[in-house]
Amino acid sequence: MSAAGSLLAAVPAAAVLLLTVATRPREAGAVAPLRLAVVRAVLLSGAYAVLVVEVLGASHALTRPAFAVAWLLFLAAAATAAGLRWRREARLGQPVGAAPVPVTTASRPVPVGAVVSGGNPDVSAPAAEPGGAATAPTRAGRRAAGLLATAVDTWRTARPGERLLAGTIGGLVLVELLVALLAEPNNFDSQTYHLPKVEHWVAQGDLDFWPTAIHRQVTIPPGAEYLLLHLRLLTGGDALHNLVQWAAGVVCLLVAARITAQLGGGRRAQLLTAFVLATTPMVVLQATSTQTDLICAAWVACAATLTLDGLRRRTGWGTLLGLGAATGLTAVTKTSGLIAVGPLLVLWGLAQLRLARTGQSAAASTSAAGAGRRSWPVGGLARTVGGSVLILVVAAVVVGPFLARVTAEFGHPLGPPRLRESIPMERHDPASIVVNALRIGHTAFDTPLAPLRRAGAEVIISGAEAIGVDPQDRAITFGRELFPEPAWYPDEDRVAFPLAGALAVIGAVIALARPRRIAAERAGSLRAYAVVVLTAVLLHTAMIKWQPWGNRLLLYAVVLAVPLAGLWLDALLRNRAGGRRTVATVAAVTVLATSALAGVLALSYGFPRRLVGAGSVFTTSDWDTRFLRRPQWADEFRWAATAVQDSGARRIGLVQQNDNWEYPWWLLLRHPDGGSPDLVALQSVLPERPPADPSSVDAIVCTGSEAACAKLVPAGWRLEFDGYVGYALPPGR
């Protein structure tokens, strides 16, 4: 990566930081205002990134200069907005970054801005918030030194346990950043369709679909790849691709902690939430990957925290735009995330209607005519309906262009039948849904205890047969996979989350049955949120088939549910007395220590990126790192690419099957000046996109089946094959 590429790649990050300053909430009662500003900044930047790709793609201008100009303009706008905000705060005598100071708290004074670094909601919450903290822009607040002084003060006043939690979280995040920077992209799906998709856009200069044997390159929502496209064009390579998921993981931690604060959790509860999430092996492993699940989870979490803001106050235009952006970004990244966004929006709408109605009743109670009566205020109802329409319009602006292309190509916004029938459930009778839910739960809660896994699977299989459901039915099972499948090993695509899942389940049960034990003053909000999380999980099991890789598809639900675990753990440590308190403390500490161990082991030995052992990012070459999933293919790809390059071929045909690796060809056959190779598919699963004629290419490269390759090689050409990879050249080359 060149120096210019490094500077350009820093522009989006700088813009997000400036937007965080510019969008910091002005109201004194905002919970965790800095984290709310981060949510606003990332949603605005994410929506902008998607729209830039769509606009420039429609203009056939997916080029480095165009993207550089787009981001420099965005940076200038963000700097202007931040400067205006800074000057406004200076005129008011309160520097940006200073937080309101509480007059009192339920226990002890909290330093200025603890909500920023330590995350104590009592600091920024109004008098009705947990802990009874009142807020005001006092002289002490106006004299605050800023965020750095706030962070130092918060750390100084934190308890040893809180420091340990925060230090562990920070350590994991920093080491994940190191791995993300050192490791080459090596996710299996990324080699097949995530990264080839980006390379096709770069080569074409637009977003038009292309002939391909891998339908997922054009049918799967491309939101995550849009973000990768920005880095690809700005830097000229894939060295920073892993940072997108890493940044999404950081956003998930921040937003999950804010959700905990909104539900009544103090600083310790928020740290517990972030700790449980940060040590979940799936989060640890995906944070250094080019997968898409953490990105989807981040957008869903943003929608959740904005929804909770709307439970106690009418939603303003800015938040409506944010909800629309979060919905659209979720849809354009991974449609399964809408399973959670839908119930969240329903909760928001019901809360807004309730606020409109209670507001009217309060006004009516001041007059004798209105006493004892409740009516729907026309203005409040219209505002809620209008806000709902605005959310949908903004979401449609973000995801609409992609859906329009898919509909035009396949006649359906969800793509071809093979996509619509492969992942979604095809049976929805109660018995099939129950069996599917049990299998998903079995895989999600898997442990290294093989006898326990076998016993659980036998019970599920026997129970399914007893109620007349085939546990391997293709209508409720992805592809040709067979249940059960071990999922305990720390692999980014399938690792289970038994600790985080169990804690979340316990927290959800208590939140539903006895919410006042967790958050007495937020019992209603807590129960409503738990209902939404439960609804999302139930909908997921009713709509998505079981598959061995299903745990990563549940990552958005894990991020939403972990705040319930943090709140419950905090209540467990807070509410017990005497000997029972000691037992509870020991149990909680044991669970947290085990969770920390799981996270550290996943980071140290996880696959396919690890710190130590065979395949370590410190001892494995860049090229071999890319092939840790299939090490035997590394030399085979090089062998075939070298032969094709030595032949002087310019136009190269591709022969492959639906799950084959295409990305290595884009790396190996790239022109010396860094330009994209001229790769064309000799097969196509898109009816309206015919493949290239084999006689029109100078060489052919193949993966997978030698027999399938031989059928497309013109007569007289020389075909060579070595294991998984082959090539064919015409006579004389």
Side-chain angles (χ1 to χ4, degrees), residues 12 30 58 86 101 177 189 195 202 243 311 362 367 403 422 424 504-505 519 522 535 548 562 569 631 667 671:
W86 199 282
V101 180
L177 174 61
D189 284 348
L195 300 185
V202 173
L243 293 187
L311 296 189
S367 63
L403 294 181
S422 61
V505 168
R522 289 296 183 92
T535 300
V562 164
L569 284 171
L667 297 174
H671 297 160

Side-chain angles (χ1 to χ4, degrees), residues 212-609:
T212 179
I214 304 174
H215 76 87
R216 291 176 294 173
Q217 291 183 358
V218 296
T219 57
I220 298 293
E225 292 88 345
Y226 281 176
L227 303 181
L228 294 178
L229 176 62
H230 287 268
L231 289 178
R232 168 66 176 86
L233 287 172
L234 293 176
T235 66
D238 61 11
L240 301 182
H241 279 8
N242 292 331
L243 293 187
V244 176
Q245 279 259 110
W246 177 83
V250 173
V251 171
C252 286
L253 294 178
L254 294 174
V255 177
R258 182 171 193 264
I259 290 172
T260 306
Q262 292 172 289
L263 295 175
R267 183 166 63 190
R268 184 176 61 185
Q270 295 170 58
L271 286 170
L272 287 168
T273 294
F275 181 88
V276 172
L277 186 59
T279 56
T280 300
M282 179 67 76
V283 174
V284 171
L285 292 169
Q286 288 231 0
T288 63
S289 170
T290 47
Q291 262 294 6
T292 62
D293 304 285
L294 265 181
I295 301 172
C296 174
W299 301 137
V300 173
C302 288
T305 194
L306 294 180
T307 295
L308 290 176
D309 279 338
L311 296 189
R312 292 201 168 193
R313 65 177 62 185
R314 300 307 304 274
T315 299
W317 293 108
T319 302
L320 290 173
L321 294 174
L323 282 170
T327 302
L329 289 168
T330 301
V332 80
T333 301
K334 213 175 189 72
T335 51
S336 58
L338 295 176
I339 295 173
V341 173
L344 285 168
L345 293 180
V346 170
L347 175 62
W348 171 85
L350 293 175
Q352 292 294 293
L353 289 174
R354 178 185 62 81
L355 290 171
R357 190 178 186 188
T358 55
Q360 174 71 9
S361 297
S365 64
T366 60
S367 63
R373 295 202 307 267
R374 289 192 177 186
S375 61
W376 291 104
V378 176
L381 181 61
R383 180 178 174 181
T384 302
V385 173
S388 302
V389 172
L390 179 60
I391 291 171
L392 297 178
V393 169
V394 173
V397 169
V398 175
V399 71
F402 168 70
L403 294 181
R405 288 194 299 276
V406 172
T407 304
E409 188 74 27
F410 301 105
H412 195 287
L414 298 181
R418 66 183 301 174
L419 177 64
R420 303 197 303 271
E421 297 169 1
S422 61
I423 297 177
M425 287 274 285
E426 298 177 78
R427 290 181 56 178
H428 297 92
D429 56 285
S432 296
I433 293 174
V434 168
V435 171
N436 193 55
L438 291 174
R439 295 184 305 166
I440 290 175
H442 180 274
T443 304
F445 288 86
D446 191 22
T447 70
L449 303 175
L452 181 62
R453 181 190 313 118
R454 287 194 297 268
E458 289 172 1
V459 169
I460 293 173
I461 291 172
S462 300
E465 294 172 347
I467 59 177
V469 177
D470 178 4
Q472 315 298 350
D473 186 354
R474 297 303 100 188
I476 62 174
T477 305
F478 178 82
R480 300 178 181 178
E481 305 302 325
L482 296 177
F483 173 83
E485 182 73 22
W488 65 268
Y489 185 78
D491 183 299
E492 66 174 354
D493 286 335
R494 65 177 66 197
V495 63
F497 34 82
L499 285 175
L503 292 173
V505 168
I506 295 172
V509 170
I510 296 177
L512 290 170
R514 304 186 67 179
R516 293 188 179 278
R517 292 184 59 181
I518 297 179
E521 297 184 19
R522 289 296 183 92
S525 298
L526 179 60
R527 178 175 283 163
Y529 183 78
V531 168
V532 167
V533 173
L534 177 62
T535 300
V537 173
L538 293 177
L539 288 175
H540 185 100
T541 60
M543 298 173 67
I544 306 296
K545 293 177 179 177
W546 175 88
Q547 55 183 284
W549 314 278
N551 288 343
R552 64 182 182 83
L553 302 183
L554 273 169
L555 193 52
Y556 72 90
V558 173
V559 173
L560 290 185
V562 164
L564 301 175
L567 288 164
W568 171 70
L569 284 171
D570 182 62
L572 183 68
L573 296 172
R574 183 182 67 239
N575 294 336
R576 300 297 183 183
R580 291 201 301 172
R581 180 175 183 178
T582 301
V583 173
T585 301
V586 171
V589 170
T590 301
V591 170
L592 293 174
T594 306
S595 183
L597 178 62
V600 171
L601 289 177
L603 188 57
S604 301
Y605 295 97
F607 197 73
R609 292 164 303 281

Side-chain angles (χ1 to χ4, degrees), residues 37-79:
V38 170
V39 169
R40 293 172 174 177
V42 297
L43 287 175
L44 182 57
S45 301
Y48 179 78
V50 169
L51 294 178
V52 164
V53 172
E54 292 290 357
V55 171
L56 294 180
S59 305
H60 304 281
L62 297 181
T63 64
R64 186 182 192 185
F67 274 66
V69 169
W71 276 109
L72 289 173
L73 290 174
F74 190 68
L75 179 65

Side-chain angles (χ1 to χ4, degrees), residues 665-710:
W665 298 125
W666 291 97
L667 297 174
L668 290 167
L669 299 175
R670 187 171 294 173
H671 297 160
D673 62 358
S676 299
D678 187 6
L679 293 175
V680 295
L682 302 185
Q683 310 143 288
S684 179
V685 294
L686 278 66
E688 303 300 322
R689 309 280 173 171
D693 187 335
S695 63
S696 69
V697 301
D698 303 323
I700 296 174
V701 292
C702 311
T703 51
S705 170
E706 181 176 359
C709 184

